[in-house]
Amino acid sequence: MKKTVLAMLFVSLSLFATNHIIDQKGKTFIPHEISVKPGDRITFLNSDPFAHNAYTDDEDNEFDIGMQSTGTEKSIIVKPGGDFSVECAIHPNMLLEVIMK
Amino acid sequence: MLKKLTVVVFLFSSCVAVLGADEDMSKWLRPSEVPQPKNNKLTPERIELGKLLYFDVRLSKDDTISCATCHHPQHGWTDEVPTSKAVGYDGRVGPRNSPVILNAAYQRHQFWDGRARSLEQQATGPMSADVEMNMPLEELIPKLNKIQGYVALFEKAYPGEGLTKETLAKAVASFERTVLSTESPFDKYARGDKNAISEDAKEGFALFKGKAHCIDCHDGWNFTDGSFQNIGLNDGELQGKELGRYNVKNRGAWYGVFKTPTLRDVTKSYPYFHDGSVKTLEEATVICASGGRYENGVRNKSDAMKDRKLTHEEVAKVVEFMKSLTGPDIDLKIPTKFPQ
Ligand SMILES: [Cu+2]
């Protein structure tokens, strides 16, 4: 609950928030590197015929979108903090580097 | 940006090439370069030392068990006992089937649940596990330091670094990096020898990549994409069963998942699955091609586990194909004399 309120706060604070679309395709994040700022949204798609996941254990931006099946969309809002990397819990070779502007 | 675009276009066109009639077969061949960490490059001294340690029973508490007891070259680098039974220290039984260490050098995560990240990190685990060698490192390191022959060999392999748990791990890992798959009939086929495998095996390969969807997980030259999957070997909530990677961290996606194993030399590595519950490749294939042993009600089962409706003939062809992935045994002289 507190998290949601905080997240909403960031959204309203950053008027120029960007939505970064990441496709999960061929067991890779496409693109596999993005530059973001707090308040931005990262939206994960899944174009593969099986489930993916995206998570990070980063202190500031910890999240886990859970099981994401084919054709669905899930998103998270970036919180203030440093660069972090996102992995797929199913396919650990999938890596997304998120760089803070 | 332009660079990225080119990469994407290139990736896209190589995908098209794979789908096309003239499949690029190079992705099915083992890269000749073995990954090595900067601080532990392979040298003949390190490999030779690691090999001695790997086969030396003195690494165990009562001088009866070596790494090879459970991962023996003549048993496809595994044992042939479900869940390493009766081979561990004092007859203790570990909870899991010994996996093959073949090509472990190329894996990003070690163990069935992926809890170790490198071979160096992995190597010292079994020595201290009470169900394996039952030899705490605090006792093992002094024990080895009393063997002058080893002290000298460590000095040669790792000058100035001493005989410590770090150099012990590095040496064992160096040997493991030489335990690599050899050229199988399938590799000969992939290199262009069209007659190296049977027609059935070729059709099995097509099924493996197509209708049977095995490459959803067993993808790439090592026939694993390194993924962690719950394939429905056990039903429901897994009460009292192995929870796999969930034990590393309680992440929902890790409930009951295990690492997708390589299928290279798979004819040599029975029994199959993390619990050693299956004896034949036919049975393993039927389980993997029909949505798992338990089709419904399995918490967190992979959605790539679907009933692919293979006929008996098709299962036999997939098995024929998997048999073509076995190469000759590694040319290895098992040490008989150990440092004193
Ligand atoms: Cu994935």
Side-chain angles (χ1 to χ4, degrees):
Chain A
M1 188 54 210
K2 213 164 137 200
K3 266 192 181 158
T4 337
V5 174
L6 271 176
M8 280 163 68
L9 199 71
F10 291 130
V11 178
S12 48
L13 277 180
S14 40
L15 284 170
F16 299 100
T18 314
N19 187 13
H20 305 267
I21 309 247
I22 305 290
D23 197 4
Q24 308 190 76
K25 195 171 176 182
K27 297 175 196 167
T28 41
F29 289 114
I30 304 173
H32 57 80
E33 195 181 297
I34 47 171
S35 295
V36 301
K37 56 185 184 309
D40 280 3
R41 179 186 293 271
I42 306 179
T43 302
F44 294 95
L45 311 179
N46 181 0
S47 302
D48 273 333
F50 38 76
H52 283 295
N53 160 271
Y55 78 91
T56 175
D57 287 333
D58 180 74
E59 265 178 31
D60 303 304
N61 266 291
E62 187 178 357
F63 68 81
D64 184 339
I65 64 168
M67 213 45 108
Q68 181 178 13
S69 36
T70 308
T72 61
E73 209 179 286
K74 291 199 179 195
S75 57
I76 60 108
I77 306 287
V78 178
K79 291 175 224 146
D83 302 349
F84 59 95
S85 22
V86 175
E87 258 185 51
C88 168
I90 306 163
H91 308 105
N93 295 334
M94 291 174 64
L95 208 62
L96 166 67
E97 298 293 352
V98 182
I99 315 292
M100 285 288 184
K101 275 187 210 157
Chain B
M1 185 60 212
L2 203 65
K3 230 183 190 165
K4 259 189 201 152
L5 206 74
T6 342
V7 171
V8 171
V9 169
F10 174 72
L11 280 176
F12 181 71
S13 50
S14 46
C15 285
V16 172
V18 167
L19 291 172
D22 252 340
E23 182 180 346
D24 170 18
M25 294 293 280
S26 61
K27 80 169 261 204
W28 302 106
L29 295 169
R30 177 166 65 76
S32 48
E33 188 79 21
V34 186
Q36 305 158 36
K38 272 199 201 70
N39 67 357
N40 193 22
K41 292 280 180 216
L42 287 179
T43 66
E45 291 77 19
R46 291 171 179 181
I47 295 168
E48 200 48 40
L49 172 58
K51 179 166 136 188
L52 289 167
L53 293 162
Y54 189 92
F55 286 96
D56 196 336
V57 292
R58 287 173 298 177
L59 266 66
S60 69
K61 182 119 187 162
D62 61 355
D63 294 357
T64 54
I65 296 159
S66 72
C67 310
T69 310
C70 298
H71 310 281
H72 200 277
Q74 267 136 32
H75 298 155
W77 299 97
T78 168
D79 58 18
E80 288 181 348
V81 199
T83 75
S84 291
K85 265 190 191 75
V87 285
Y89 179 73
D90 203 15
R92 267 171 241 185
V93 179
R96 291 181 193 162
N97 186 19
S98 317
V100 289
I101 69 157
L102 191 77
N103 295 332
Y106 293 84
Q107 306 189 135
R108 187 140 170 239
H109 295 263
Q110 305 298 328
F111 294 118
W112 280 109
D113 56 15
R115 66 189 180 280
R117 280 242 169 182
S118 69
L119 283 178
E120 278 76 4
Q121 208 187 346
Q122 184 282 330
T124 48
M127 300 174 195
S128 46
D130 61 354
V131 288
E132 293 182 13
M133 299 159 99
N134 195 22
M135 189 74 196
L137 289 170
E138 308 82 74
E139 286 175 40
L140 178 58
I141 300 298
K143 184 177 174 186
L144 289 179
N145 267 298
K146 286 205 195 87
I147 304 171
Q148 284 316 309
Y150 268 132
V151 175
L153 287 175
F154 271 89
E155 184 49 33
K156 270 206 195 125
Y158 298 99
E161 289 186 53
L163 199 176
T164 64
K165 67 177 200 290
E166 284 79 24
T167 50
L168 174 62
K170 282 177 170 178
V172 174
S174 296
F175 170 65
E176 288 178 296
R177 288 198 172 90
T178 66
V179 182
L180 305 173
S181 53
T182 54
E183 191 177 54
S184 66
F186 173 79
D187 295 311
K188 296 200 173 92
Y189 171 69
R191 289 207 165 82
D193 176 357
K194 294 290 170 232
N195 299 319
I197 64 174
S198 68
E199 284 310 312
D200 275 1
K202 286 177 205 169
E203 284 172 42
F205 183 40
L207 287 162
F208 189 89
K209 294 180 293 179
K211 183 179 175 189
H213 281 260
C214 310
I215 62 160
D216 283 2
C217 305
H218 297 281
D219 199 4
W221 68 269
N222 203 22
F223 297 92
T224 169
D225 60 6
S227 64
F228 291 95
Q229 312 272 358
N230 179 339
I231 64 167
L233 283 182
N234 294 300
D235 61 344
E237 286 290 314
L238 299 180
Q239 232 58 283
K241 295 281 203 299
E242 285 274 325
L243 296 183
R245 199 156 201 220
Y246 197 68
N247 291 333
V248 177
K249 184 164 178 178
N250 291 7
R251 194 179 289 296
W254 286 348
Y255 198 81
V257 303
F258 292 88
K259 194 174 59 193
T260 304
T262 177
L263 297 178
R264 286 197 169 267
D265 277 9
V266 71
T267 53
K268 300 179 193 168
S269 72
Y270 58 89
Y272 300 117
F273 297 125
H274 75 268
D275 56 3
S277 61
V278 166
K279 284 209 177 59
T280 66
L281 282 176
E282 284 76 12
E283 199 187 330
T285 303
V286 167
I287 289 173
C288 282
S290 62
R293 189 181 279 145
Y294 292 90
E295 226 194 315
N296 300 310
V298 178
R299 177 167 158 200
N300 195 41
K301 191 171 78 176
S302 163
D303 66 351
M305 273 284 131
K306 291 194 184 104
D307 188 358
R308 306 297 179 183
K309 309 227 167 5
L310 298 194
T311 64
H312 288 302
E313 290 72 37
E314 287 173 330
V315 168
K317 284 173 182 169
V318 172
V319 169
E320 237 1 78
F321 158 66
M322 285 193 285
K323 286 184 181 163
S324 78
L325 298 176
T326 293
D329 286 342
I330 296 172
D331 184 20
L332 176 87
K333 262 203 18 234
I334 295 175
T336 46
K337 275 224 212 79
F338 292 91
Q340 296 303 323

